[in-house]
Amino acid sequence: MKKIYITLSLLAGMSLAAQNKDTEKADKLFARFEYVDAATEYQKLVDSGKSDAYVYRQLADSYYNVYNSKEAIKWYAKATESTQEAETYFKYAQMLKAEGKYPEANAQMKKFAGLAPSDQRSVEFMKDPNYLPKLQSQTKLFDEVALGINSGSSDFGAVLTDDNTLYFASSRNKARKTYGWNEEPFLDLYTATYNANGSFSEPVAVSELNTKFHDGPASVSADGNTIYFASESFKEGDFEKDKKNKLKVGQVYLFKATKDGSKWGNVKALPFNSKEYSVSNPSLSKDGKTLYFSSNMPGSLGGNDIWKVAVNGDGGYGTPENMGPKVNTPGNESFPSITDDNVLYFASDGRKGLGGLDVFRIDLSKGSEAENVGEPVNTSKDDFAFSFNKTKNVGFFSSNKTGKDKIYQANPVC
């Protein structure tokens, strides 16, 4: 589900022309981000003998977008029997790493590097293609435990406030309509209370902020009176019309709300939202003066990048600034989270990792290099949305290592 906030904005506005009449139905589903149904239709073409390298690649990409690594590998192998563009080999390598097939992944990364030698991902890989043993043997920083409040649906993006309230996004509401991307309900924001014994209360929906659209994740100010959260541009009536596919294409927007008694109110869209790109995954600094977020806005180094913007005393905002190559790559960087002592955690698929998205951190005060936080937080699957509460000395992150996005508690190792 988190890929909505990683790749949807990259595809928004793209109208995939059908390769031919045979692929028209599948292509339209793919263009509408309905990857589960698209995969079914491409599979029908394979079964009826109407497949080719294009169908194999589209089928592989459909599975890639819903993180079905086993099926993606199967069809990338078929697609790459013919020459493909560089990014296809990178995706193939990512899916191989997700299955722990590191030598095979390295072989595909070498093909990617041969086609895109100046890409930062290629440069870094070729510097040290056998980085994995060093990464797996580094000192463990955290122990992990899955939270008891996880559901059978996607749960991710947890942040703990100093008043012991855990905010997170979840698709657990079965009464919501499902999203064609992965056939799960739309996201809502939830809260749970962090108890003194380390347990959590039963999650409750943040009803005053949740809409019929995707809502979440969120970030709350130090005083607990301001919340920033992601939702959809449809909330503002902003979208583009894809007439060919009979589709309204929106973006992910950021919104701000303030406490109105015990409830959230005064919801306002941020001024740097745009129909041309997405902004999502907010994280507010302790002093409330800097908001970090992810976006594919102009000036990004790759897909999604980490950005920051000044929050002015008068309630206005400065000009968004890209965090630069110490954080961002030609791949995707997302889910920034800033700690009270100015350490930025973020997820990336463009750096040396164990597979999929890995969690990295960088000390912004020291100007150090980004560091992979290692196992057990990072695995061969997607690991992301790491936050850390310095007051409580506890962190939280999300991972799909069991097949669904779940929230885990990260306890520092002394």
Side-chain angles (χ1 to χ4, degrees), residues 122-320:
S122 299
V123 173
E124 290 302 314
F125 172 77
M126 294 307 293
K127 281 181 183 178
D128 185 15
N130 300 311
Y131 68 89
L132 193 63
K134 287 182 285 186
L135 182 56
Q136 291 177 314
S137 63
Q138 73 181 39
T139 302
K140 185 168 71 168
L141 300 175
F142 301 95
D143 286 320
E144 54 144 19
V145 59
L147 296 194
I149 59 173
N150 283 309
S151 66
S153 299
S154 292
D155 303 290
F156 67 95
V159 292
L160 180 65
T161 63
D162 286 346
D163 69 353
N164 293 316
T165 303
L166 188 80
Y167 287 81
F168 65 97
S170 178
S171 60
R172 66 183 62 200
N173 186 354
K174 302 301 183 183
R176 297 270 262 135
K177 69 176 182 179
T178 56
Y179 185 46
W181 186 297
N182 60 0
E183 301 299 337
E184 281 198 350
F186 276 54
L187 292 169
D188 282 329
L189 272 170
Y190 285 81
T191 62
T193 301
Y194 182 50
N195 299 316
N197 64 359
S199 65
F200 288 88
S201 67
E202 186 67 24
V204 177
V206 187
S207 57
E208 64 269 31
L209 295 182
N210 291 329
T211 65
K212 64 180 181 179
F213 308 111
H214 287 297
D215 299 295
S219 178
V220 181
S221 63
D223 64 8
N225 292 323
T226 301
I227 188 170
Y228 289 90
F229 66 100
S231 188
E232 295 188 50
S233 61
F234 294 109
K235 186 180 293 190
E236 295 294 290
D238 290 349
F239 55 84
E240 299 288 349
K241 289 185 178 180
D242 179 353
K243 293 181 180 179
K244 181 178 180 63
N245 292 296
K246 298 179 181 179
L247 181 67
K248 293 179 180 178
V249 181
Q251 301 283 2
V252 182
Y253 276 9
L254 287 181
F255 294 83
K256 172 186 175 182
T258 53
K259 272 287 176 68
D260 183 10
S262 62
K263 299 288 187 180
W264 294 108
N266 193 31
V267 177
K268 293 182 178 179
L270 299 195
F272 48 87
N273 291 327
S274 171
K275 290 192 293 184
E276 304 302 317
Y277 51 80
S278 281
V279 287
S280 60
N281 302 313
S283 181
L284 186 66
S285 61
K286 182 180 181 180
D287 62 10
K289 294 181 179 180
T290 307
L291 181 68
Y292 296 84
F293 61 94
S294 60
S295 179
N296 65 323
M297 65 173 57
S300 294
L301 303 185
N304 277 275
D305 279 6
I306 308 299
W307 293 73
K308 67 177 181 179
V309 66
V311 181
N312 301 327
D314 61 1
Y317 300 86
T319 301

